[in-house]
Amino acid sequence: MTPLHTLRAGVIGTGFIGPVHIEALKRLGVQVTAICGSTQSARSTAERWGIPEVYGDHDYAALYRSPNVDVVHITSPNKVHVEQCLAALKAGKHVVCEKPLGMTSRETRRVVAAVNRAGAAGPVFAVNYMCRFFPAVLQMRAMVQRGDLGQIIHVQGQFFQDWLLKDTDYNWRILASEGGALRAVGDIGTHWIDAASFILGAKVEAVFAHLETFHRTRRRPRGEVKTFTQADPTTLVPYSVDTEDFGSVLLRFGSSAHGHVNGVHANASISQVAAGWKCSLALGIYGTKGSVRWDLQQPNEILVGRRDEPNQILQRGTAGFSEDVAGFTDYPGGHAEGFPDSHKMQYRAVYQHIASGRQTPVLFATAQDGHQEVQLCEALLKSSTAGRWVKL
Ligand SMILES: NC(=O)c1ccc[n+]([C@@H]2O[C@H](COP(=O)([O-])OP(=O)(O)OC[C@H]3O[C@@H](n4cnc5c(N)ncnc54)[C@H](O)[C@@H]3O)[C@@H](O)[C@H]2O)c1
């Protein structure tokens, strides 16, 4: 296989998540040759990370013209994802696009069509639902697939954060025009749904949602604020909020190829106003032989529940985590791996797929998966408005 350090990455976006991509790529030995963002932040990011080619003024088209970029990482805000994806595919670049793939399914359908048109000879395309690449999530998937938990009965969980708890907390995601019609569910709930669907090996067929906006009016600074940072309280102006702070979501999954999932019911609570919870994506899968639970805030262990035997805590890197997971973890048990490592493992999977000429399995989310998450969000909003189940 071509070594990963022969592949060269260009990153668009220098906010919270752009540098997460850069750090993970550098840890993999991938060359990061180009960066694009606002002129000042592109320059300072390039200086910090030693990136030779700098494209300011958000000039992603110039980055795409560089012969020194094989793979483009799109880490800009949601509303420019589709145009940047379509242009990257046209330029023949492989793409890792941040979630969500776009603002509406009408526009994300265009990305799926472009990927399909390019076919197997065209660029590899991934959407960054990297929660799939936590070893715990892969382990839970292997347990479901092998039938360790028996027939799956139901799935339950949450994705809770608190960084938008106060009415003075501001980020572009709060505005539907910037982030999309759904916020808490669109921004973090889709990570939960994608992870649940990945573990089960089944797609969502119908949804029911109740969405709530606690702060109908918030106050914001005049300028922009980087994700997870505080606004200057002296410059705040009121605005009305058109996205949800939290929501309850019911999902009905279809059947899996392995036969252990058939019409499974799932429920999840999603909130960005849950005090004390920083990034708790928690998921429980309950079957006829046992259950398994995991929380991203304790990413290295899973709790296996049995009715007639003692429960177990299984730890990554120790007996109990199966061979299927071994290729997705680099450090021994007890040496914690977490959020940055899930990005690293996802990019390794994508770059190995490119380097091997598509010989490795596609575990990462595809354009079609990203498109389906956007369709799901639209169905969830429709359900919440109409107060009824909506089929996909
Ligand atoms: N996978 C994950 O866990 C995860 C986590 C956080 C964010 N995200 C996704 O990453 C994206 C960025 O989120 P963030 O939190 O880093 O936001 P951010 O606001 O912190 O950063 C956005 C960056 O994009 C740049 N930018 C703005 N307009 C641009 C344009 N037209 N072209 C190029 N760059 C532009 C900004 O200058 C800024 O550097 C979002 O789509 C978000 O959903 C994913």
Side-chain angles (χ1 to χ4, degrees):
M1 191 187 294
T2 317
L4 299 192
H5 62 75
T6 59
L7 289 164
R8 300 156 306 169
V11 177
I12 303 172
T14 54
F16 165 63
I17 207 73
V20 175
H21 287 239
I22 296 169
E23 185 195 59
L25 292 167
K26 293 226 165 211
R27 288 170 71 202
L28 288 169
V30 170
Q31 302 173 58
V32 182
T33 47
I35 182 81
C36 170
S38 71
T39 303
Q40 198 192 346
S41 75
R43 198 174 294 141
S44 61
T45 306
E47 273 168 22
R48 179 173 172 209
W49 291 97
I51 301 172
E53 295 184 20
V54 185
Y55 300 94
D57 207 17
H58 298 145
D59 190 358
Y60 64 88
L63 183 147
Y64 292 172
R65 283 194 294 275
S66 169
N68 305 314
V69 172
D70 305 304
V71 188
V72 174
H73 288 244
I74 297 172
T75 78
S76 47
N78 306 354
K79 70 175 180 182
V80 291
H81 286 180
V82 166
E83 76 176 63
Q84 293 181 348
C85 285
L86 291 173
L89 289 166
K90 205 167 169 192
K93 308 290 188 192
H94 305 288
V95 179
V96 177
C97 180
E98 263 305 345
K99 40 57 59 178
L101 181 54
M103 302 277 276
T104 66
S105 63
R106 203 171 151 179
E107 59 169 25
T108 55
R109 191 171 290 124
R110 295 176 62 208
V111 180
V112 175
V115 170
N116 290 344
R117 255 197 319 276
V124 168
F125 193 100
V127 182
N128 206 31
Y129 285 111
M130 79 299 159
C131 292
R132 295 177 177 212
F133 288 88
F134 281 93
V137 170
L138 287 154
Q139 173 69 25
M140 289 162 82
R141 182 171 184 264
M143 292 171 80
V144 171
Q145 269 182 0
R146 276 198 304 264
D148 293 1
L149 306 177
Q151 196 68 24
I152 304 306
I153 305 169
H154 62 85
V155 177
Q156 173 276 337
Q158 69 185 41
F159 199 157
F160 283 176
Q161 296 182 334
D162 71 0
W163 67 292
L164 297 175
L165 175 61
K166 297 181 184 172
D167 71 342
T168 51
D169 293 324
Y170 176 71
N171 185 265
W172 52 263
R173 289 164 171 84
I174 295 172
L175 312 176
S177 58
E178 297 288 314
L182 288 198
R183 189 229 313 161
V185 173
D187 191 33
I188 57 175
T190 55
H191 269 304
W192 192 95
I193 298 170
D194 181 75
S197 183
F198 179 69
I199 291 168
L200 296 175
K203 293 285 178 199
V204 175
E205 289 188 338
V207 301
F208 189 101
H210 177 82
L211 307 176
E212 287 268 353
T213 305
F214 179 73
H215 294 300
R216 289 173 188 273
T217 303
R218 286 176 178 260
R219 289 173 293 147
R220 62 165 290 187
R222 288 179 202 281
E224 274 309 317
V225 179
K226 191 171 153 181
T227 305
F228 295 125
T229 54
Q230 294 286 312
D232 174 359
T234 59
T235 63
L236 300 177
V237 287
Y239 65 102
S240 42
V241 174
D242 54 3
T243 55
E244 83 288 0
D245 288 320
F246 63 96
S248 303
V249 169
L250 303 180
L251 309 167
R252 198 181 67 237
F253 283 92
S255 302
S256 63
H258 51 65
H260 304 296
V261 173
N262 202 341
V264 165
H265 182 88
N267 69 304
S269 296
I270 312 296
S271 175
Q272 290 180 317
V273 291
W277 296 93
K278 305 303 171 192
C279 197
S280 170
L281 190 169
L283 236 162
I285 314 277
Y286 300 86
T288 51
K289 289 192 196 164
S291 67
V292 61
R293 278 171 56 179
W294 174 73
D295 188 330
L296 194 156
Q297 292 196 158
Q298 280 89 38
N300 291 267
E301 60 189 40
I302 54 175
L303 177 68
V304 179
R306 307 271 178 207
R307 221 238 344 226
D308 303 321
E309 293 163 37
N311 293 348
Q312 293 174 311
I313 294 172
L314 304 184
Q315 292 173 327
R316 180 195 55 77
T318 67
F321 263 64
S322 65
E323 283 303 308
D324 310 322
V325 171
F328 301 95
T329 176
D330 281 348
Y331 290 89
H335 301 72
E337 291 182 2
F339 175 81
D341 303 274
S342 68
H343 283 265
K344 180 178 136 190
M345 295 302 161
Q346 146 119 342
Y347 309 146
R348 178 183 284 165
V350 173
Y351 280 69
Q352 281 180 341
H353 197 64
I354 297 167
S356 68
R358 297 178 185 258
Q359 295 306 303
T360 57
V362 179
L363 290 177
F364 51 84
T366 61
Q368 179 63 28
D369 294 330
H371 171 59
Q372 275 169 6
E373 288 296 328
V374 176
Q375 283 182 314
L376 261 165
C377 286
E378 289 170 350
L380 288 163
L381 183 56
K382 192 169 166 188
S383 166
S384 182
T385 310
R388 62 174 172 82
W389 282 87
V390 172
K391 284 190 184 159
L392 277 115

XYZ file of all heavy atoms in Angstrom, residues 12-19 21 36-38 41 58-60 74-78 80-81 83-84 98-100 128-131 163 171-173 187 191 224-228 339 343, ligand 1:
418
model
N -9.569 23.566 4.552
C -10.333 24.818 4.424
C -11.036 25.054 5.758
O -11.856 24.225 6.182
C -11.384 24.704 3.307
C -10.702 24.348 1.987
C -12.166 26.005 3.179
C -11.700 24.041 0.887
N -10.745 26.178 6.403
C -11.352 26.495 7.711
C -10.302 26.394 8.806
O -9.567 25.402 8.891
N -10.265 27.425 9.636
C -9.216 27.512 10.657
C -9.813 27.782 12.032
O -9.155 28.341 12.907
C -8.261 28.682 10.307
O -9.067 29.857 10.147
C -7.487 28.429 9.034
N -11.105 27.400 12.218
C -11.777 27.684 13.489
C -11.496 26.616 14.528
O -10.350 26.245 14.767
N -12.565 26.088 15.154
C -12.389 25.045 16.168
C -11.911 23.736 15.545
O -10.921 23.130 15.970
C -13.718 24.833 16.914
C -13.756 23.560 17.710
C -12.884 23.370 18.767
C -14.636 22.540 17.384
C -12.889 22.184 19.494
C -14.656 21.360 18.109
C -13.783 21.177 19.167
N -12.609 23.273 14.487
C -12.374 21.892 14.048
C -11.266 21.776 12.995
O -10.652 20.707 12.874
C -13.698 21.239 13.539
C -13.653 19.722 13.722
C -14.008 21.603 12.109
C -13.792 19.254 15.124
N -10.993 22.863 12.250
C -9.919 22.789 11.244
C -8.615 22.289 11.854
O -8.015 21.311 11.373
N -8.144 22.911 12.941
C -6.890 22.450 13.568
C -6.968 21.026 14.122
O -5.947 20.352 14.235
C -6.675 23.479 14.692
C -7.345 24.716 14.188
C -8.558 24.225 13.447
N -8.420 18.594 12.529
C -8.058 17.812 11.329
C -6.549 17.872 11.111
O -5.911 16.845 10.854
C -8.763 18.381 10.088
C -10.234 18.089 10.018
N -10.814 17.409 8.973
C -11.247 18.388 10.861
C -12.127 17.300 9.173
N -12.416 17.905 10.311
N -6.619 27.228 3.999
C -7.451 28.314 3.478
C -8.377 28.809 4.583
O -8.983 27.997 5.297
C -8.277 27.795 2.296
S -9.551 28.920 1.725
N -8.497 30.118 4.718
C -9.392 30.706 5.705
C -9.424 32.203 5.504
O -9.101 32.696 4.406
N -9.794 32.962 6.545
C -9.670 34.416 6.431
C -8.162 34.703 6.354
O -7.353 33.909 6.854
C -10.303 35.111 7.627
O -9.509 34.887 8.768
N -6.255 34.566 9.767
C -6.235 33.282 10.479
C -5.551 32.197 9.652
O -4.914 31.301 10.205
C -7.639 32.860 10.905
O -8.368 32.403 9.806
N -10.665 33.365 2.167
C -11.524 32.180 1.931
C -11.476 31.712 0.482
O -12.473 31.199 -0.049
C -12.975 32.476 2.346
C -13.122 32.791 3.795
N -14.025 33.701 4.281
C -12.459 32.330 4.879
C -13.918 33.786 5.595
N -12.976 32.960 5.984
N -10.314 31.881 -0.171
C -10.207 31.573 -1.601
C -9.916 30.078 -1.803
O -8.807 29.675 -2.150
C -9.108 32.451 -2.229
C -9.107 32.356 -3.741
O -9.939 31.585 -4.295
O -8.274 33.033 -4.371
N -10.954 29.269 -1.609
C -10.772 27.812 -1.708
C -10.484 27.384 -3.149
O -9.814 26.390 -3.403
C -11.988 27.059 -1.133
C -13.272 27.284 -1.887
C -13.611 26.479 -2.968
C -14.150 28.295 -1.529
C -14.786 26.685 -3.673
C -15.323 28.504 -2.229
C -15.636 27.699 -3.300
O -16.784 27.909 -3.999
N -12.853 19.917 4.263
C -13.745 21.084 4.303
C -14.248 21.242 5.737
O -15.076 20.468 6.199
C -14.893 20.909 3.284
C -14.292 20.858 1.868
C -15.916 22.031 3.422
C -15.262 20.510 0.766
N -13.709 22.240 6.439
C -14.056 22.471 7.853
C -14.617 23.875 8.043
O -14.526 24.459 9.116
C -12.836 22.235 8.787
O -11.964 23.361 8.719
C -12.082 20.972 8.441
N -15.189 24.402 6.981
C -15.820 25.729 6.995
C -17.251 25.592 7.536
O -17.737 24.479 7.728
C -15.831 26.266 5.554
O -16.290 25.247 4.696
N -17.955 26.717 7.764
C -19.354 26.624 8.230
C -20.265 25.924 7.215
O -20.014 25.930 6.012
C -19.751 28.083 8.426
C -18.458 28.806 8.661
C -17.460 28.108 7.790
N -21.368 25.375 7.744
C -22.272 24.500 6.983
C -22.729 25.071 5.639
O -22.870 24.350 4.660
C -23.527 24.213 7.816
C -23.190 23.660 9.181
O -22.030 23.375 9.476
N -24.191 23.506 10.035
N -21.486 26.754 3.332
C -20.626 26.730 2.140
C -20.132 25.315 1.797
O -19.377 25.133 0.847
C -19.431 27.712 2.282
C -19.920 29.146 2.235
C -18.616 27.457 3.540
N -20.574 24.304 2.564
C -20.070 22.939 2.322
C -20.356 22.447 0.904
O -19.464 21.916 0.232
C -20.681 21.954 3.326
C -20.113 22.076 4.715
N -20.518 21.285 5.756
C -19.162 22.898 5.231
C -19.860 21.601 6.857
N -19.037 22.597 6.562
N -21.135 23.973 -2.008
C -20.396 24.600 -3.124
C -18.919 24.178 -3.082
O -18.307 23.914 -4.118
C -20.544 26.143 -3.104
C -19.697 26.830 -2.044
C -19.755 28.363 -2.053
O -20.843 28.904 -1.817
O -18.694 28.987 -2.255
N -18.358 24.057 -1.864
C -16.940 23.683 -1.765
C -16.732 22.211 -2.120
O -15.713 21.848 -2.707
C -16.416 24.020 -0.364
C -16.381 25.540 -0.135
C -15.860 25.968 1.230
O -15.702 25.150 2.132
N -15.596 27.260 1.380
N -16.762 18.149 6.578
C -17.374 18.164 7.913
C -18.882 17.978 7.791
O -19.486 18.268 6.771
C -17.039 19.475 8.650
C -15.859 19.344 9.589
C -16.011 18.221 10.630
O -17.119 17.719 10.821
O -14.998 17.842 11.231
N -19.474 17.475 8.869
C -20.918 17.348 8.929
C -21.517 18.690 9.316
O -20.812 19.471 9.974
C -21.364 16.243 9.896
C -20.610 16.111 11.207
C -20.502 17.266 12.141
C -21.749 17.871 12.682
N -21.508 18.977 13.646
N -22.752 19.014 8.976
C -23.574 18.280 8.026
C -23.081 18.511 6.601
O -22.406 19.513 6.328
C -24.949 18.906 8.237
C -24.653 20.318 8.621
C -23.391 20.259 9.430
N -17.575 13.680 7.814
C -16.821 13.474 9.057
C -17.693 13.066 10.258
O -17.663 13.728 11.293
C -16.007 14.731 9.377
C -14.784 14.398 10.202
O -14.223 13.319 10.067
N -14.377 15.306 11.071
N -18.452 11.988 10.106
C -19.137 11.393 11.269
C -18.149 10.435 11.934
O -18.263 9.215 11.846
C -20.438 10.703 10.834
C -21.518 11.709 10.528
C -21.974 11.917 9.245
C -22.066 12.484 11.549
C -22.953 12.863 8.970
C -23.042 13.443 11.287
C -23.484 13.618 10.008
O -24.441 14.561 9.749
N -17.154 11.045 12.603
C -15.999 10.263 13.070
C -16.291 9.461 14.341
O -15.446 8.672 14.766
C -14.780 11.179 13.250
C -14.745 11.995 14.502
S -16.134 13.137 14.645
C -16.131 13.442 16.394
N -17.499 9.650 14.957
C -17.812 8.845 16.157
C -17.789 7.364 15.820
O -17.571 6.529 16.703
C -19.161 9.248 16.745
S -19.115 10.900 17.442
N -22.651 24.284 26.119
C -21.937 25.501 25.715
C -22.862 26.594 25.169
O -22.435 27.724 25.008
C -20.821 25.163 24.722
C -21.289 24.669 23.380
C -21.912 23.484 23.131
C -21.144 25.326 22.126
N -22.188 23.370 21.793
C -21.714 24.477 21.145
C -20.587 26.541 21.707
C -21.753 24.810 19.797
C -20.624 26.860 20.357
C -21.198 26.002 19.429
N -23.057 31.596 18.683
C -22.291 30.952 17.616
C -23.163 31.015 16.357
O -24.398 31.011 16.465
C -22.002 29.490 17.985
C -21.105 28.800 16.968
O -21.577 28.136 16.064
N -19.811 28.965 17.104
N -22.550 31.008 15.181
C -23.312 31.074 13.928
C -24.344 29.949 13.823
O -25.367 30.075 13.155
C -22.385 31.072 12.711
C -21.363 29.958 12.683
C -20.062 30.036 13.092
C -21.556 28.598 12.243
N -19.438 28.826 12.941
C -20.332 27.919 12.408
C -22.628 27.894 11.720
C -20.158 26.573 12.083
C -22.464 26.557 11.389
C -21.248 25.914 11.573
N -24.130 28.808 14.479
C -25.072 27.676 14.406
C -26.472 28.049 14.900
O -27.449 27.395 14.541
C -24.566 26.535 15.275
C -23.351 25.801 14.764
C -22.792 25.016 15.932
N -21.734 24.089 15.579
C -20.465 24.431 15.455
N -20.092 25.690 15.593
N -19.546 23.527 15.176
N -26.737 19.598 14.564
C -25.306 19.743 14.854
C -24.754 18.520 15.577
O -23.726 17.971 15.186
C -25.113 21.006 15.711
C -23.650 21.396 15.854
O -22.878 21.161 14.905
O -23.281 21.931 16.919
N -24.811 13.155 14.918
C -23.696 12.263 15.327
C -24.280 11.029 16.022
O -23.844 9.897 15.796
C -22.763 12.969 16.318
C -21.621 13.700 15.681
N -20.710 13.106 14.832
C -21.204 14.994 15.808
C -19.800 13.987 14.452
N -20.078 15.140 15.021
N -18.157 37.973 14.753
C -18.226 36.518 14.872
C -17.491 36.035 16.118
O -16.647 36.744 16.659
C -17.607 35.850 13.639
C -18.596 35.700 12.495
C -19.915 35.037 12.917
O -19.875 34.044 13.665
O -20.985 35.534 12.520
N -17.845 34.831 16.594
C -17.206 34.232 17.767
C -16.796 32.818 17.409
O -17.613 32.053 16.881
C -18.192 34.171 18.963
C -17.526 33.534 20.168
C -18.704 35.556 19.301
N -15.547 32.468 17.669
C -15.080 31.109 17.388
C -15.820 30.123 18.293
O -16.108 30.433 19.449
C -13.560 31.059 17.649
C -12.888 29.814 17.154
C -11.373 29.983 17.278
C -10.684 28.666 17.446
N -9.244 28.795 17.580
N -16.105 28.920 17.759
C -16.842 27.901 18.495
C -16.198 27.615 19.847
O -14.975 27.505 19.943
C -16.880 26.612 17.649
O -17.416 26.959 16.387
C -17.738 25.535 18.290
N -17.047 27.461 20.891
C -16.624 27.168 22.267
C -15.857 28.319 22.927
O -15.179 28.115 23.923
C -15.775 25.882 22.355
C -16.528 24.636 21.988
C -16.048 23.784 21.003
C -17.712 24.314 22.626
C -16.744 22.634 20.658
C -18.419 23.164 22.289
C -17.925 22.332 21.304
N -11.450 11.932 21.731
C -11.966 12.695 20.588
C -10.927 12.888 19.461
O -11.212 12.575 18.304
C -12.506 14.032 21.115
C -12.968 14.989 20.075
C -14.236 14.873 19.502
C -12.155 16.032 19.659
C -14.669 15.774 18.538
C -12.576 16.935 18.703
C -13.833 16.805 18.134
N -10.829 11.188 15.253
C -10.551 11.868 13.978
C -9.378 11.182 13.269
O -9.423 10.902 12.074
C -10.210 13.338 14.228
C -11.427 14.174 14.524
N -12.104 14.882 13.571
C -12.084 14.389 15.679
C -13.137 15.508 14.125
N -13.144 15.219 15.408
N -17.098 16.341 13.535
C -17.131 17.085 14.621
O -17.032 16.577 15.744
C -17.292 18.581 14.508
C -17.029 19.402 15.613
C -17.142 20.780 15.446
C -17.522 21.313 14.223
N -17.823 20.498 13.195
C -18.239 21.047 11.885
O -17.136 21.781 11.348
C -17.578 22.947 10.668
C -16.870 24.163 11.261
O -17.243 24.286 12.619
P -16.321 25.064 13.670
O -16.895 24.734 14.992
O -14.879 24.798 13.420
O -16.658 26.583 13.294
P -15.789 27.895 13.570
O -16.727 29.021 13.444
O -14.991 27.736 14.811
O -14.764 27.907 12.338
C -15.176 28.068 10.999
C -13.993 28.492 10.150
O -14.390 28.580 8.776
C -13.883 29.809 8.216
N -14.769 30.228 7.139
C -15.893 30.986 7.216
N -16.423 31.130 5.985
C -15.631 30.448 5.134
C -15.629 30.229 3.734
N -16.585 30.761 2.946
N -14.644 29.480 3.183
C -13.680 28.948 3.980
N -13.622 29.117 5.309
C -14.583 29.869 5.875
C -13.852 30.769 9.388
O -12.915 31.789 9.119
C -13.417 29.845 10.515
O -12.012 29.713 10.521
C -19.100 22.956 10.824
O -19.666 22.414 9.654
C -19.384 22.044 11.992
O -20.632 21.399 11.928
C -17.697 19.138 13.308
